[in-house]
């Protein structure tokens, strides 16, 4: 069975500091991996996705993620956080075609001045 | 270009009632997936519709059913509502040519 673990429920960072959100997955085949962001009262917005190729993936809003097959990880990073990045972030795994995508429980990011 | 739209925005129902939620996919998309997001949780996959057929289903009881229309819009029906069905219901659309799934803003269902 596929699963996603986001070990950090809540993270607080100072504006301008770097950020890394952790994600570990379990998947029986080649995984398709995603990071989504959800602002309060909003739907989910795709930040980036990994299907194949270069294991360092660039996304929107200055985010990037690195796929490490040996560690079953797909951590999200940003070099300098802005106050507008405060939101909840979800890692997800699934097959191509978006059938039965499995989400983690999310990491809530708080940004302090 | 309108993205994924969902209606209604909010809904309050009583235990045992039935509810229908609606979703219109992004223009050019032919596949609709439904997710349930309970408070403090990540979205859980309910099912996916393609060519008016249910293509995949998550671990949800038969009380959850759906439909897709020829214009690709979709409905999610939940019968015999339970308090535990209170959640944000998200619709997402995609197609075979693009590698992106777009989500709607969701319908907040409260069961009392």
């Amino acid at each position: 069975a596929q699963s996603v673990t986001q070990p950090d429920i809540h993270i607080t960072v100072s504006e301008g500091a770097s950020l890394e959100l952790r994600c570990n997955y379990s998947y029986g085949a080649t995984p398709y991996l995603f990071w989504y962001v959800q602002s309060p009262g909003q739907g989910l917005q795709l930040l980036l996705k990994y299907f194949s190729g270069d294991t360092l993936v660039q996304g929107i809003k200055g985010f990037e993620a690195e796929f490490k097959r040996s560690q079953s990880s797909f951590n999200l990073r940003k070099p300098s956080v802005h106050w507008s990045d405060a939101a909840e972030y979800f890692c997800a795994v699934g097959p191509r075609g978006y059938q039965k995508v499995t989400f983690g429980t999310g990491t809530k990011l708080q940004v302090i001045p | 270009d309108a993205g994924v739209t969902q209606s209604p925005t909010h809904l309050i129902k009583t235990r045992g009632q039935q509810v229908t939620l609606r979703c219109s996919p992004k223009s050019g998309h032919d596949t609709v997936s439904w997710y349930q997001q309970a408070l403090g949780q990540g979205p859980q996959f309910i099912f996916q519709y393609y060519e008016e057929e249910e293509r995949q289903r998550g671990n949800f009881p038969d009380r959850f059913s759906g439909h897709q229309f020829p214009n690709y819009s979709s409905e999610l029906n939940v019968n015999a509502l339970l308090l535990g069905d209170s959640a944000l219901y998200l619709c997402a659309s995609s197609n075979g040519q693009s590698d992106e799934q777009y989500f709607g803003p969701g319908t907040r269902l409260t069961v009392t």
Side-chain angles (χ1 to χ4, degrees):
Chain A
Q2 59 197 59
S3 66
V4 175
T5 301
Q6 293 181 249
D8 303 306
I9 296 171
H10 191 272
I11 282 185
T12 300
V13 299
S14 299
E15 192 168 14
S18 64
L19 171 70
E20 182 168 26
L21 302 182
R22 296 183 290 164
C23 172
N24 291 95
Y25 68 89
S26 172
Y27 195 72
T30 301
Y32 290 93
L33 294 156
F34 314 89
W35 274 100
Y36 287 89
V37 62
Q38 186 176 38
S39 298
Q42 303 289 316
L44 294 160
Q45 182 182 22
L46 181 68
L47 287 175
L48 48 79
K49 57 186 183 287
Y50 173 78
F51 292 144
S52 64
D54 192 347
T55 57
L56 186 62
V57 182
Q58 300 298 320
I60 63 171
K61 305 186 180 189
F63 285 93
E64 67 177 26
E66 186 171 12
F67 171 61
K68 293 185 177 180
R69 184 185 299 276
S70 61
Q71 298 177 20
S72 297
S73 70
F74 188 57
N75 294 348
L76 181 71
R77 301 194 292 249
K78 187 169 184 178
S80 177
V81 168
H82 187 262
W83 63 266
S84 60
D85 293 324
E88 191 151 22
Y89 292 80
F90 292 93
C91 180
V93 66
R96 199 162 194 181
Y98 297 99
Q99 297 169 38
K100 261 188 168 174
V101 174
T102 297
F103 284 79
T105 51
T107 297
K108 192 164 286 187
L109 173 66
Q110 181 182 8
V111 181
I112 56 176
Chain B
D1 173 27
V4 180
T5 60
Q6 292 186 244
S7 63
T9 307
H10 294 90
L11 204 51
I12 300 174
K13 289 285 188 178
T14 303
R15 242 180 334 173
Q17 285 187 317
Q18 179 262 345
V19 68
T20 298
L21 310 181
R22 296 177 177 81
C23 171
S24 291
K26 181 178 167 62
S27 176
H29 286 185
D30 57 10
T31 302
V32 173
S33 301
W34 286 93
Y35 292 81
Q36 180 195 66
Q37 186 178 17
L39 203 59
Q41 300 293 318
Q44 283 195 285
F45 177 82
I46 303 174
F47 42 53
Q48 184 182 79
Y49 275 83
Y50 172 70
E51 292 189 340
E52 302 180 50
E53 300 263 332
E54 183 181 290
R55 184 158 69 172
Q56 276 279 353
R57 189 178 182 92
N59 295 326
F60 279 81
D62 292 344
R63 297 187 298 109
F64 289 77
S65 63
H67 189 76
Q68 186 178 34
F69 298 94
N71 67 353
Y72 308 119
S73 67
S74 176
E75 287 181 350
L76 164 66
N77 300 294
V78 186
N79 293 324
L81 284 167
L82 304 174
L83 295 179
D85 295 330
S86 295
L88 180 68
Y89 288 85
L90 295 164
C91 168
S93 72
S94 58
N95 67 28
Q97 277 66 56
S98 77
D99 290 327
E100 188 151 343
Q101 180 172 231
Y102 288 86
F103 280 83
T107 293
R108 171 75 61 189
L109 172 65
T110 302
V111 181
T112 61

